[in-house]
Amino acid sequence: MVRASVIPGERSLPPGFAHPHASEEARAIAEAGLILRVQVGSGVHGTSISGQDDRDEMGICLEPRDFVTGLARVPRGINGEAEVEFEQYQRHTVWDKPGGLANRSGAGDLDVVIYSARKWCRLALAGNPTVLLALFVPDEEVVLRDEVGAELVDNAHRFVSKLAAARFLGYLQSQKSAMLGESGAHTNRPELVAVHGYDTKFAMHALRLGVQGVELLRTGRITLPVPEPDLPFLRSVRRGEVSLAEVLEALDASEAALVAAGADAFVPDEPDRAWADDWLHRSHLAYWDNL
């Protein structure tokens, strides 16, 4: 196996904002402790449409000692009187435009979330599709990766287990519900529904989750961008070239494939929590020694 390389890169993040996870203090923690930062949106999947997509990034950071062994907290947003535990720094540049937090990201906007290493590990060990993706991003889509981040990527297999089957299925079904505009689901994109009869972006992501979930369960890895023969179909769905009836039929097949892959998976029943725990201990101790 080819070892992950160290990739020096951009550490700075957009400034704080009046959002619970966007205080200046949280930004400073995320920047200083950053070990991995990657693109995770449509661009890395190969499904983006020119001129339509924002840029989604995810990162992982180590925390200062007081936030792990003590009771230190960060303000809830800028100038916030309340405090919250530091778990992530979350910032969308579209918030800077008129409308603020109500805005939806679009072309040219940056959406970035930097998780604490402890929160990221909890989510990854549970099979969360969004955070697991960070382990499989190709070098050309890595913004920053230091030695600690490289060790994490080299041990991606420690986080993959059959638990991912239920998580990928749940995420697929959530995207499907949003695509259909069902009650309680994420708000769909009315401009896409008006043209195509359904939200083509939610549809594409639902199908993508099926493809990637099956691959992960059968091989222990996710190929990025999505390889042939699935990518052309996903892109055609995104462009609205596939009827809703065909999309629903494909989604039914994806759900069935995920269930089957989960029942007959190549990957272990459980992730390697002991390794993750040891990595967290070692990484934080080394980080604190260098502060």
Side-chain angles (χ1 to χ4, degrees):
M1 183 184 73
V2 177
R3 295 291 180 182
S5 58
V6 171
I7 300 177
E10 183 59 47
R11 189 173 289 272
S12 63
L13 298 164
F17 200 81
H19 177 277
H21 297 296
S23 68
E24 276 295 307
E25 290 81 355
R27 181 192 59 78
I29 291 171
E31 284 187 359
L34 197 62
I35 62 170
L36 183 67
R37 181 177 178 180
V38 298
Q39 182 181 184
V40 292
S42 295
V44 80
H45 297 297
T47 57
S48 62
I49 302 297
S50 178
Q52 294 185 21
D53 287 300
D54 56 1
R55 178 179 172 88
D56 294 305
E57 293 183 358
M58 181 193 303
I60 304 170
C61 70
L62 299 172
E63 300 167 76
R65 187 191 309 269
D66 291 351
F67 287 82
V68 178
T69 65
L71 301 174
R73 296 162 70 88
V74 294
R76 192 176 184 274
I78 56 171
N79 302 320
E81 295 182 1
E83 292 183 328
V84 295
E85 291 185 12
F86 176 79
E87 289 190 323
Q88 66 202 58
Y89 180 72
Q90 181 177 341
R91 186 67 161 87
H92 299 225
T93 58
V94 73
W95 293 344
D96 296 317
K97 300 176 182 178
L101 296 175
N103 293 330
R104 194 175 72 207
S105 296
D109 295 318
L110 170 65
D111 295 348
V112 60
V113 57
I114 309 296
Y115 291 107
S116 74
R118 292 185 299 150
K119 179 173 183 178
W120 183 91
C121 281
R122 288 196 300 269
L123 294 172
L125 290 167
N128 181 291
T130 303
V131 303
L132 282 173
L133 196 72
L135 297 172
F136 305 105
V137 172
D139 285 358
E140 57 268 26
E141 301 294 351
V142 174
V143 179
L144 177 148
R145 185 168 64 209
D146 72 1
E147 293 86 351
V148 181
E151 182 187 4
L152 184 68
V153 170
D154 285 339
N155 286 275
H157 61 284
R158 311 273 191 181
F159 293 89
V160 179
S161 75
K162 291 181 181 178
L163 297 179
R167 301 303 187 280
F168 271 83
L169 183 61
Y171 272 55
L172 183 159
Q173 292 170 337
S174 176
Q175 295 283 311
K176 178 182 177 181
S177 295
M179 174 193 82
L180 297 171
E182 293 178 353
S183 177
H186 294 295
T187 303
N188 61 19
R189 301 165 183 84
E191 70 278 9
L192 295 179
V193 176
V195 175
H196 306 294
Y198 64 98
D199 188 315
T200 58
K201 190 170 183 179
F202 276 134
M204 178 275 293
H205 280 304
L207 291 166
R208 171 188 60 78
L209 284 159
V211 170
Q212 293 176 336
V214 168
E215 182 187 13
L216 183 70
L217 292 164
R218 289 180 176 169
T219 71
R221 299 193 62 82
I222 294 174
T223 303
L224 294 169
V226 177
E228 303 284 345
D230 298 295
L231 184 56
F233 181 66
L234 293 181
R235 289 182 61 81
S236 65
V237 170
R238 176 72 193 275
R239 292 191 296 263
E241 298 167 355
V242 181
S243 71
L244 176 58
E246 291 176 276
V247 167
L248 291 172
E249 183 178 351
L251 283 170
D252 287 343
S254 290
E255 291 184 52
L258 263 178
V259 172
D264 189 27
F266 162 81
V267 298
D269 291 343
E270 298 286 337
D272 191 344
R273 295 184 179 86
W275 184 90
D277 200 42
D278 179 67
W279 176 81
L280 284 169
H281 281 295
R282 289 187 289 104
S283 301
H284 278 100
L285 288 173
Y287 177 55
W288 298 337
D289 283 345
N290 291 318
L291 288 178

